[in-house]
């Protein structure tokens, strides 16, 4: 009889991302003939723009199929630097930019850099589940700060600053936010940056992956706008959402020099380098036509408006209008069911895939997440089905 060897205890601390579990179940039901509308997975339903695809193909035909520098090809890091300057009017050296295979890598690198036993890391809740997973894996204590519906799912800088103690090593923020669609106003970010002056040893990681999908009343502000924290700021961004390139697995991090050197070593040890041809596709994405970004943004804005309007017509649901990303996060408490019960009911009974709010942390109870990354017709049909179930 085979006997498993002991597996390291830290692996018990790893969480998961329920959206992929829901996706697998939805796909299985669809393969069995059930008519399923997937509002669960957070990825654009658009094709990767043709000029980007062609650049990737050309790169392969031109022989770019070998290893690259672990930090990314120089011209791509230069293009990221130029893009940041163009959009935010902030100078970032290419030498502080690390190209990685997907934004999640930056979450894990940040946790590995700053997390260990007896340290605490603050993170948003409800928030992207990999934050808490990576923190727990690092050995640090995961300390949530609540994103409240009555604050538009923004955070209060004061709430975050109050949670900092001598053990706090890292704070994670995310705006525009997954799963809530909340956007943090500039004045709160200013208060956070100012308040951090009292805590010079605390690093901030700002997840800005949805930065170009901001369509509400609050404009997006990058933490790069606050030079007073530049020496302890990590930025997460990438191509997945902005250019409909989720499966290309491309992201980047901006690190201060002292952290960059270690992050580069992590890259060498873990993934060697990012897919060569994908980097040339990413280069074309940043330097080529940008109309595709505007078109997707406009589409998601219309869909978000449609979705939140229709959701509020469903008995038992109350939904705020999202200010960014491409999610609605309705309150389901009036259904008298919990989040997981509603998730399962919608998929099993009417073929509508959503994600329970508790998949994004304990403060996600009484909510579900719906992705606007589907057609208007699919959104209308899905919510029409929902009207008959509560």
């Amino acid at each position: 009889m085979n006997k498993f060897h002991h597996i390291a205890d830290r692996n018990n601390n790893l969480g998961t991302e329920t959206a992929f579990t829901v996706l697998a179940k939805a796909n299985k039901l669809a393969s069995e003939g059930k008519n399923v509308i997937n509002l669960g997975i957070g990825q654009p339903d658009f094709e990767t723009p043709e000029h980007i695809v062609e650049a990737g193909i050309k790169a392969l035909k031109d022989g770019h199929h070998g290893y690259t520098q672990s930090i990314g090809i120089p011209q791509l890091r230069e293009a990221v630097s130029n893009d940041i300057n163009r959009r935010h009017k902030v100078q970032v050296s290419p030498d502080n930019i690390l190209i990685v295979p997907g934004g999640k890598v930056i979450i894990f690198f940040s946790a590995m850099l700053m997390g260990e036993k007896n340290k605490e890391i603050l993170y948003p809740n409800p928030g992207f589940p990999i934050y808490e997973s990576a923190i727990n894996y690092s050995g640090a204590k995961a300390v949530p700060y609540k994103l409240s519906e009555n604050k538009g799912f923004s955070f209060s800088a004061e709430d975050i600053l109050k949670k900092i103690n001598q053990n706090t090593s890292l704070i994670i923020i995310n705006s525009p936010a997954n799963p809530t669609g909340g956007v943090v106003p500039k004045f709160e970010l200013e208060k956070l940056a100012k308040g951090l002056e009292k805590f010079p040893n605390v690093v901030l990681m700002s997840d800005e992956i949805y930065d170009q999908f901001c369509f509400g009343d609050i404009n997006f502000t990058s933490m790069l706008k606050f030079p007073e924290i530049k020496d302890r700021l990590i930025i997460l961004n990438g191509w997945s959402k902005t250019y409909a390139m989720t499966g290309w697995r491309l992201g980047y991090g901006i690190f201060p020099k002292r952290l960059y050197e270690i992050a580069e070593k992590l890259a060498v040890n873990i993934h060697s380098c990012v897919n060569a041809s994908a980097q040339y596709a990413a280069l074309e994405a940043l330097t080529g036509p940008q109309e595709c970004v505007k078109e997707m943004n406009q589409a998601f804005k219309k869909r978000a408006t449609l979705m939140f309007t229709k959701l509020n017509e469903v008995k038992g649901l109350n939904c705020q209008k999202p200010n960014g990303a491409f999610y609605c996060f309705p309150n389901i408490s009036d259904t008298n069911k919990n989040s997981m019960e509603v998730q399962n009911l919608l998929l099993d009974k009417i073929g509508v895939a959503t994600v329970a709010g508790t998949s994004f942390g304990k403060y996600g109870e009484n909510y579900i997440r719906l992705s606007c990354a589907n057609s208007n017709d699919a959104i209308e049909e899905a919510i029409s089905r929902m009207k008959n179930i509560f």
Side-chain angles (χ1 to χ4, degrees), residues 172-241:
I172 297 173
I173 65 173
N174 173 216
S175 176
N178 175 13
T180 64
V183 177
V184 181
K186 186 177 182 181
F187 72 86
E188 288 289 1
L189 300 175
E190 287 174 337
K191 282 198 284 188
L192 180 62
K194 181 70 176 174
L196 284 174
E197 291 178 9
K198 296 179 183 177
F199 306 100
N201 295 322
V202 176
V203 171
L204 179 72
M205 194 277 275
S206 181
D207 180 348
E208 301 183 359
I209 196 75
Y210 294 97
D211 65 342
Q212 297 202 59
F213 295 122
C214 195
F215 38 68
D217 300 324
I218 306 169
N219 293 325
F220 169 76
T221 302
S222 173
M223 290 308 295
L224 290 166
K225 291 281 193 178
F226 304 100
E228 61 267 36
I229 59 168
K230 183 180 178 182
D231 65 338
R232 52 201 171 110
L233 174 66
I234 301 169
I235 295 288
L236 183 164
N237 213 321
W239 289 261
S240 291
K241 316 298 183 180

Side-chain angles (χ1 to χ4, degrees), residues 77 81 91-97 230 254-255 260:
R77 288 183 289 115
S81 174
Q91 296 283 350
V92 173
S93 169
D95 294 335
N96 294 101
I97 296 166
K230 183 180 178 182
I254 301 171
F255 295 86
Y260 188 93

